[in-house]
Amino acid sequence: MQKRNRRDVVPHPSIETGPMIKHALSVTRQADFAAWYQDVIAEADLAEESGVRGCMVIKPWGYGIWERIQTVMDAAIKDAGVQNAYFPLFIPLSFFEKEADHVDGFAKEMAVVTHHRLIADSKGKLVPDPEAKLEEPLIVRPTSETVIGAAMSRWVQSWRDLPLKVNQWANVVRWEMRTRMFLRTSEFLWQEGHTAHADRDDAMAETLRALEMYRSFAEDVLAMPVIAGEKPENERFPGAVATYSIEAMMQDGKALQAGTSHYLGTGFAEAAGIRYQDRDGGHSLCHTTSWGTSTRMIGGVIMTHGDDDGLRCPPRIAPHQIVIVPMLRDNGEDAAILDYCRDLESRLKALDAFGEPVRVLLDTGANKAQTKRWGWVKKGAPIIVEVGPRDVAGGNVAVIRRDRLYQESGKLNSAFVAKGDFIADAAATLEDIQASLYAEARERLDANIRRDVTDLAAHFSGEDRFVGWAEVQWARPTGGALDRIVEQLKALKLTMRNTPLDAAPADSACIFTGEPAVERVLIGRTY
Amino acid sequence: MQKRNRRDVVPHPSIETGPMIKHALSVTRQADFAAWYQDVIAEADLAEESGVRGCMVIKPWGYGIWERIQTVMDAAIKDAGVQNAYFPLFIPLSFFEKEADHVDGFAKEMAVVTHHRLIADSKGKLVPDPEAKLEEPLIVRPTSETVIGAAMSRWVQSWRDLPLKVNQWANVVRWEMRTRMFLRTSEFLWQEGHTAHADRDDAMAETLRALEMYRSFAEDVLAMPVIAGEKPENERFPGAVATYSIEAMMQDGKALQAGTSHYLGTGFAEAAGIRYQDRDGGHSLCHTTSWGTSTRMIGGVIMTHGDDDGLRCPPRIAPHQIVIVPMLRDNGEDAAILDYCRDLESRLKALDAFGEPVRVLLDTGANKAQTKRWGWVKKGAPIIVEVGPRDVAGGNVAVIRRDRLYQESGKLNSAFVAKGDFIADAAATLEDIQASLYAEARERLDANIRRDVTDLAAHFSGEDRFVGWAEVQWARPTGGALDRIVEQLKALKLTMRNTPLDAAPADSACIFTGEPAVERVLIGRTY
């Protein structure tokens, strides 16, 4: 089979326009994807290192994106009949010890609170007060199955209380040795849904409902195409019976797990004592689920839509969808420009896009118009509108669509449009930008999954190795046989991502064992 | 002067109806206010103990109220040009040590993270891994001035960057020995605003703006009248130059500090290095502020509006403003009742109250109608609408206003109204309930502040002591003289709450020292 090279993953059309364009970032995706990622985060003012190990500061533009994600996701969660609640940050060690697989999976990377007071030592330096040592250490929650399970055991008495569906928006901590902003930080923000059901079928339906909610959210809201499927046994959540994920393809071809949904069986219910009396008076254990998405999705958005000029923010999650930049010159024309801009602002704010009022910012900050323009380009505002004295005179505006930043010539793609026409089209333009970003990412994903791979090593090693994903057939071995496959893939820096729900049925031999295959599994490098 | 007795604080008119009514709660305010408070929290399904020391579980109805508080407060914060962001949960000890007064104020009650991994000991029990001890302990944030100050020192370079105004919604931890749900828990949820300004005047204006935002929020949204004023020196936030508060009066006459706003001077800016270059090229320290409100406000709502039947939730923060209870009997009439209720639901949802769509729940749960009715009474849904077969036939609904639960006779006050009339009046009724709850609480507050007190001991001691507040004139002594006053008040279980911004000027002698008074200060018991 012919080997194809890295070029198969095309980050973004603008990359093809090559050296003629001086881009806004100092490093391109092609030159150093990892450095480019950090540069986008810095230049788009999304986040920064905090000086606290493994913890980041999420800056207003980055947090604004998270607020948009929360708003839309929260509505979907509530529509599914799930109620929000809030559970403790701290989990006593004894709660954690109840579910053996769970604690094995998490014990190695948790923040442990051991004292509740500081005291000055003999040199006047503050130290944990030995008199204030906790009898039982507290764990800062890495996830909340145990403490929410304890609450569910109090709340569930009878079949009438089922299904019980709660969600919390919270911070969690998993101690990480190597951190990367948004993708892997010691503290991160997420939502975690937890549900209890009368039987396996109802719990499994909920597990798959949450997975589908995540798939449609990623695709429709983040404009990030994903593959939904079941994780292989070795990638399951600690203590779960089955784990499902959505996997997105970044512009370097690596996979990003962007959301997971777990069917937990009765293991957690047994550990926490979540039992109910059924209609016949008998007592049964509940079947539970949990599902989560996090600020990691923002990393996915950056690596899906970013280009060499910064972030391109999908309109549905852009804190400001349209930014108006008045070109002020500290002279007598400024007042007329500002009046013109304010009228534009209020007319745009009266519009709806995606069923919500359009989010518009008139940027009256102290910086120069040129600085503002490139600031918003780097932040990825979907539409940037510039207004100068000639625009006011002519009744025009100069419009930049962030997803079409350059003309073919390499010149900035700024279009003069009559103000009224711009307003009339604005909502449709936002919807077109959303659709275009999705289509571009979808095309990249579809073009970079190979279904004809028979020799993984030949494809995935060497300088010109394939950087996309392979969908291969396998026999779904377990135990030691699976471990050997995992090791074999690890040598190629590969992992199994998931077994896509919508894959074709198996019709051939397992690529690993030669036995008859039972399903298809996606393989690729990962974050 | 005549002593007046406890009766001066009238919790709520319904208390006067006396023993004829069998109330929904097992304990009345009059019998045991503290036990009543716990009972409301339990019976209204607001929160419960978590099994984790000092941490509570906020249940869906309680969290729904918090979400409403967040939604309305967040809009006010954003309207003031403040941007949300997120800062680390953990604060290195060294950050905290920089501001001496600050650390003195907080060091005694903080959760300290000392390890980042667990390991099995010789008996197989999990313990903090000695190999994974942190070089520098991390504090779980009790408040974020230090870590946000560090970020501000990076973000502020020039006068163009000022004012810098950020806010975060977060959990914080202050180790508390005696906890009480919503009022004092080790972990609680809050918002904390932090701003940096070029000079004192601008910072002080922001401090007072935040205070006024809290005052109007408490009164207009929570229907909880408050007194806004400056805290005396001994009650200042550790490290602040001036601390302001809003103080609400609970039905037992005690004060609840429901929000604070601090002018921090340049102390925190100096500790963190927040400096800016002014228009002339010189470098100056910023003046900073911080201000916060928390889930404690929910405790205030309970003790302001609750009665012997549970919570009465002000409509602006009620997760459901109108609850429809269909009176189903598992027979052939049920379908017609549900159709009738769904039509009612959709017509009510199309209405606006307080500038937002009306929040309506059709309760189709498995419980009996009677159980549902009393469940919603205890939760404090502002309007409960019951629909039975006769209502469907007659085109009526049976309406209960939660703020007027009983007739004078002691009978439940359920009014039959034509469905169309009920819908036509629904928004106005909600607004009337909001106004009535406020008026009732305002009347109680006004009636229970005495301005003619000359002998604190005579008023505030003994079995029939006054349980409201005294507004007295004082000379605002400092240092040792202030300490002696604080001790003297403490012997009477009293504290100084604040010096009301809108108090009359002083015109008499200091009640403590006999010197000429300079202002008036509120004195009372407190939570």
Side-chain angles (χ1 to χ4, degrees):
Chain A
M1 178 183 297
Q2 187 202 351
K3 281 208 228 173
R4 281 162 285 183
N5 70 16
R6 179 167 185 129
R7 288 279 158 76
D8 273 20
V9 175
V10 178
H12 171 241
S14 78
I15 209 171
E16 304 299 340
T17 58
M20 335 168 11
I21 299 176
K22 186 176 170 334
H23 290 285
L25 300 186
S26 59
V27 54
T28 63
R29 290 161 290 173
Q30 189 107 33
D32 185 341
F33 195 80
W36 166 85
Y37 176 72
Q38 298 297 339
D39 207 34
V40 176
I41 289 172
E43 294 293 322
D45 259 348
L46 294 167
E48 66 185 21
E49 299 291 349
S50 65
V52 183
R53 209 198 143 290
C55 298
M56 64 179 174
V57 172
I58 307 180
K59 300 177 79 173
W61 186 250
Y63 197 78
I65 293 172
W66 180 239
E67 288 184 306
R68 287 295 310 155
I69 288 174
Q70 286 189 299
T71 299
V72 181
M73 179 82 83
D74 195 62
I77 289 170
K78 286 179 172 141
D79 279 350
V82 182
Q83 293 188 296
N84 284 341
Y86 188 77
F87 298 89
L89 172 67
F90 297 134
I91 302 181
L93 202 42
S94 57
F95 278 42
F96 229 84
E97 285 172 327
K98 287 182 189 167
E99 221 294 331
D101 292 335
H102 190 59
V103 72
D104 279 355
F106 280 104
K108 289 184 182 153
E109 42 168 351
M110 305 199 291
V112 188
V113 176
T114 56
H115 294 74
H116 64 80
R117 191 189 306 139
L118 296 171
I119 197 169
D121 69 6
S122 57
K123 296 169 196 158
K125 199 178 149 43
L126 287 175
V127 295
D129 182 351
E131 300 286 306
K133 190 171 173 187
L134 299 177
E135 280 187 28
E136 180 181 14
L138 295 172
I139 305 307
V140 181
R141 63 181 163 218
T143 181
S144 303
E145 278 74 10
T146 55
V147 72
I148 294 180
M152 286 179 162
S153 75
R154 297 187 295 267
W155 299 351
V156 174
Q157 305 296 331
S158 104
W159 62 270
R160 284 186 193 81
D161 303 319
L162 299 176
L164 176 65
K165 307 205 267 186
V166 295
N167 175 67
Q168 80 172 349
W169 292 94
N171 54 344
V172 288
V173 172
R174 299 175 186 180
W175 208 263
E176 298 285 354
M177 285 302 144
R178 289 183 206 154
T179 62
R180 204 161 193 190
M181 280 191 284
F182 290 115
L183 300 179
R184 182 170 283 108
T185 48
S186 289
E187 183 191 15
F188 59 92
L189 305 181
W190 80 343
Q191 60 70 217
E192 47 180 323
H194 297 266
T195 69
H197 304 262
D199 57 34
R200 182 192 178 285
D201 284 356
D202 200 46
M204 187 57 85
E206 173 66 17
T207 306
L208 295 174
R209 183 206 64 75
L211 184 72
E212 168 58 18
M213 175 175 73
Y214 290 160
R215 185 206 61 74
S216 69
F217 181 84
E219 301 199 336
D220 301 343
V221 182
L222 307 180
M224 183 170 79
V226 293
I227 306 286
E230 187 181 353
K231 302 297 278 188
E233 178 185 310
N234 61 302
E235 298 268 0
R236 269 181 209 144
F237 177 77
V241 173
T243 286
Y244 297 82
S245 72
I246 53 169
E247 305 278 336
M249 184 182 283
M250 304 295 99
Q251 289 182 61
D252 62 351
K254 286 190 190 171
L256 185 78
Q257 178 177 297
T260 51
S261 185
H262 316 291
Y263 167 60
L264 302 175
T266 56
F268 283 87
E270 189 159 19
I274 315 173
R275 287 186 176 79
Y276 70 98
Q277 188 168 36
D278 61 29
R279 285 164 203 255
D280 305 323
H283 285 81
S284 304
L285 282 172
C286 288
H287 293 244
T288 66
T289 83
S290 66
W291 28 274
T293 54
S294 73
T295 38
R296 179 169 237 231
M297 287 189 292
I298 298 175
V301 166
I302 297 167
M303 293 193 288
T304 299
H305 301 302
D307 66 14
D308 295 338
D309 295 286
L311 181 62
R312 298 185 301 165
C313 204
R316 287 197 70 182
I317 56 164
H320 310 307
Q321 294 169 315
I322 303 177
V323 175
I324 304 168
V325 176
M327 304 178 80
L328 306 177
R329 299 174 187 197
D330 278 326
N331 66 23
E333 292 173 324
D334 284 3
I337 293 172
L338 282 172
D339 282 350
Y340 189 87
C341 288
R342 285 197 196 96
D343 173 69
L344 178 62
E345 179 192 19
S346 68
R347 288 166 67 187
L348 288 169
K349 280 184 171 174
L351 301 174
D352 271 9
F354 310 102
E356 292 179 287
V358 171
R359 296 181 293 282
V360 186
L361 177 76
L362 169 56
D363 184 352
T364 56
N367 290 316
K368 289 179 181 167
Q370 180 85 348
T371 307
K372 288 182 193 176
R373 173 207 282 166
W374 286 103
W376 291 114
V377 165
K378 289 187 283 188
K379 282 185 162 79
I383 299 177
I384 301 164
V385 186
E386 296 174 309
V387 175
R390 278 183 300 176
D391 301 308
V392 175
N396 294 320
V397 292
V399 180
I400 296 169
R401 259 181 78 143
R402 181 60 184 86
D403 65 327
R404 299 179 187 168
L405 194 57
Y406 298 104
Q407 299 172 20
E408 283 197 18
S409 66
K411 227 184 119 191
L412 190 74
N413 195 3
S414 178
F416 288 94
V417 186
K419 185 182 180 184
D421 292 348
F422 168 68
I423 294 167
D425 293 343
T429 305
L430 288 170
E431 287 168 9
D432 189 58
I433 293 171
Q434 181 82 23
S436 298
L437 289 174
Y438 178 75
E440 183 183 317
R442 176 94 245 169
E443 194 181 341
R444 181 167 58 241
L445 175 66
D446 290 344
N448 287 284
I449 299 178
R450 294 190 182 167
R451 296 188 171 81
D452 57 358
V453 173
T454 52
D455 182 344
L456 290 167
H459 259 75
F460 286 103
S461 57
E463 269 303 300
D464 63 347
R465 67 181 179 276
F466 176 54
V467 297
W469 304 348
E471 187 189 272
V472 300
Q473 304 202 21
W474 78 325
R476 197 176 182 139
T478 59
L482 175 59
D483 292 344
R484 283 189 295 278
I485 291 170
V486 171
E487 284 304 309
Q488 179 186 337
L489 290 171
K490 198 175 173 187
L492 295 166
K493 300 190 178 174
L494 296 174
T495 59
M496 282 176 284
R497 305 315 308 148
N498 68 26
T499 56
L501 294 186
D502 63 357
D507 58 6
S508 175
C510 173
I511 193 173
F512 303 110
T513 65
E515 297 166 40
V518 298
E519 64 187 357
R520 295 171 197 255
V521 62
L522 275 180
I523 289 172
R525 293 196 181 196
T526 186
Y527 277 95
Chain B
M1 177 182 298
Q2 188 201 352
K3 281 208 230 173
R4 280 163 285 184
N5 70 15
R6 179 168 186 130
R7 287 280 159 74
D8 272 19
V9 175
V10 178
H12 171 242
S14 78
I15 209 171
E16 303 301 337
T17 58
M20 336 167 11
I21 299 175
K22 188 177 170 328
H23 290 285
L25 300 187
S26 59
V27 55
T28 64
R29 289 161 291 171
Q30 188 109 33
D32 184 341
F33 196 78
W36 166 83
Y37 177 73
Q38 299 297 339
D39 206 35
V40 176
I41 290 173
E43 294 293 322
D45 259 349
L46 294 166
E48 66 183 22
E49 299 291 350
S50 65
V52 183
R53 207 197 144 288
C55 298
M56 63 179 174
V57 172
I58 307 179
K59 299 178 80 172
W61 185 250
Y63 197 78
I65 292 173
W66 181 240
E67 288 184 305
R68 286 296 309 155
I69 288 174
Q70 286 189 298
T71 299
V72 181
M73 178 81 83
D74 194 64
I77 290 170
K78 285 180 172 141
D79 278 350
V82 182
Q83 293 188 295
N84 284 342
Y86 188 77
F87 299 88
L89 172 68
F90 297 133
I91 302 181
L93 202 41
S94 57
F95 278 41
F96 229 83
E97 285 172 328
K98 287 181 190 169
E99 222 294 332
D101 291 335
H102 189 60
V103 72
D104 278 356
F106 281 105
K108 289 183 181 151
E109 44 169 347
M110 305 200 289
V112 189
V113 176
T114 56
H115 294 74
H116 64 80
R117 192 188 305 136
L118 296 171
I119 196 169
D121 69 5
S122 58
K123 295 170 197 156
K125 198 177 150 43
L126 285 176
V127 294
D129 183 351
E131 301 285 306
K133 189 172 174 186
L134 299 177
E135 283 188 25
E136 180 180 13
L138 295 173
I139 305 306
V140 180
R141 63 181 164 218
T143 182
S144 303
E145 279 74 10
T146 56
V147 72
I148 293 181
M152 285 181 163
S153 75
R154 299 187 294 268
W155 298 351
V156 174
Q157 306 295 332
S158 106
W159 61 270
R160 284 186 194 81
D161 303 320
L162 298 175
L164 176 64
K165 307 204 269 187
V166 295
N167 176 69
Q168 79 172 350
W169 291 94
N171 53 344
V172 287
V173 172
R174 299 176 186 179
W175 207 264
E176 299 284 355
M177 284 303 144
R178 289 183 206 151
T179 62
R180 204 160 193 190
M181 280 191 285
F182 291 114
L183 301 179
R184 183 170 282 109
T185 48
S186 290
E187 181 191 17
F188 57 92
L189 304 182
W190 79 344
Q191 62 69 217
E192 48 179 322
H194 295 266
T195 68
H197 305 263
D199 57 34
R200 181 190 178 286
D201 284 356
D202 201 48
M204 188 55 86
E206 173 67 16
T207 306
L208 294 174
R209 182 206 65 74
L211 184 71
E212 168 57 19
M213 175 175 73
Y214 291 159
R215 186 206 60 74
S216 68
F217 181 84
E219 300 199 337
D220 301 344
V221 182
L222 306 181
M224 183 171 79
V226 292
I227 306 286
E230 187 181 352
K231 301 297 275 188
E233 178 186 311
N234 61 302
E235 297 268 1
R236 270 182 208 143
F237 177 78
V241 173
T243 286
Y244 297 82
S245 72
I246 53 170
E247 304 280 336
M249 184 182 282
M250 304 295 98
Q251 289 181 61
D252 62 352
K254 285 190 191 172
L256 184 79
Q257 178 179 297
T260 52
S261 184
H262 316 292
Y263 166 60
L264 301 175
T266 56
F268 283 87
E270 189 158 20
I274 315 174
R275 287 187 176 78
Y276 71 99
Q277 189 167 34
D278 60 30
R279 284 164 203 254
D280 305 322
H283 286 80
S284 305
L285 283 172
C286 287
H287 293 244
T288 65
T289 84
S290 65
W291 28 274
T293 54
S294 72
T295 37
R296 178 170 238 230
M297 287 188 293
I298 298 174
V301 167
I302 296 167
M303 291 192 290
T304 299
H305 301 302
D307 66 14
D308 296 337
D309 294 286
L311 181 61
R312 297 185 302 164
C313 205
R316 289 197 68 183
I317 56 165
H320 310 306
Q321 296 169 314
I322 303 176
V323 175
I324 304 167
V325 176
M327 304 177 82
L328 306 176
R329 298 173 188 197
D330 277 328
N331 66 24
E333 292 173 324
D334 285 4
I337 294 173
L338 281 171
D339 281 350
Y340 188 86
C341 289
R342 285 197 196 97
D343 173 69
L344 178 62
E345 179 192 20
S346 68
R347 287 166 68 187
L348 289 169
K349 281 185 171 171
L351 302 175
D352 271 9
F354 310 101
E356 293 178 286
V358 172
R359 296 182 291 282
V360 186
L361 177 76
L362 170 56
D363 184 352
T364 56
N367 290 317
K368 286 179 184 167
Q370 179 85 345
T371 306
K372 288 183 193 176
R373 173 208 283 168
W374 286 103
W376 291 113
V377 165
K378 289 187 282 185
K379 282 186 161 79
I383 299 176
I384 302 165
V385 187
E386 296 174 307
V387 175
R390 277 181 302 175
D391 302 307
V392 175
N396 294 320
V397 293
V399 179
I400 297 170
R401 259 180 80 144
R402 180 61 183 86
D403 64 328
R404 299 180 187 168
L405 194 57
Y406 298 102
Q407 300 172 20
E408 282 195 21
S409 66
K411 227 184 122 193
L412 190 74
N413 194 4
S414 176
F416 287 92
V417 185
K419 184 182 181 185
D421 293 347
F422 169 68
I423 295 167
D425 293 343
T429 304
L430 289 170
E431 288 168 11
D432 188 58
I433 294 171
Q434 182 82 22
S436 298
L437 289 174
Y438 178 76
E440 183 182 318
R442 176 94 246 172
E443 194 181 344
R444 181 166 59 238
L445 175 66
D446 291 343
N448 288 286
I449 300 180
R450 294 189 182 166
R451 295 186 173 82
D452 56 359
V453 174
T454 51
D455 181 343
L456 290 168
H459 260 76
F460 287 102
S461 55
E463 269 303 299
D464 62 347
R465 66 181 181 276
F466 176 53
V467 297
W469 305 347
E471 187 189 272
V472 300
Q473 305 201 22
W474 78 326
R476 197 176 180 138
T478 58
L482 176 59
D483 292 345
R484 282 187 296 279
I485 292 170
V486 170
E487 283 306 307
Q488 179 186 337
L489 291 172
K490 198 174 170 187
L492 295 166
K493 299 190 179 174
L494 297 173
T495 59
M496 281 175 285
R497 304 316 308 147
N498 68 25
T499 58
L501 294 186
D502 63 358
D507 58 6
S508 177
C510 173
I511 193 172
F512 304 111
T513 66
E515 296 165 40
V518 299
E519 64 186 0
R520 295 173 195 253
V521 62
L522 276 180
I523 289 173
R525 293 197 179 195
T526 186
Y527 277 95

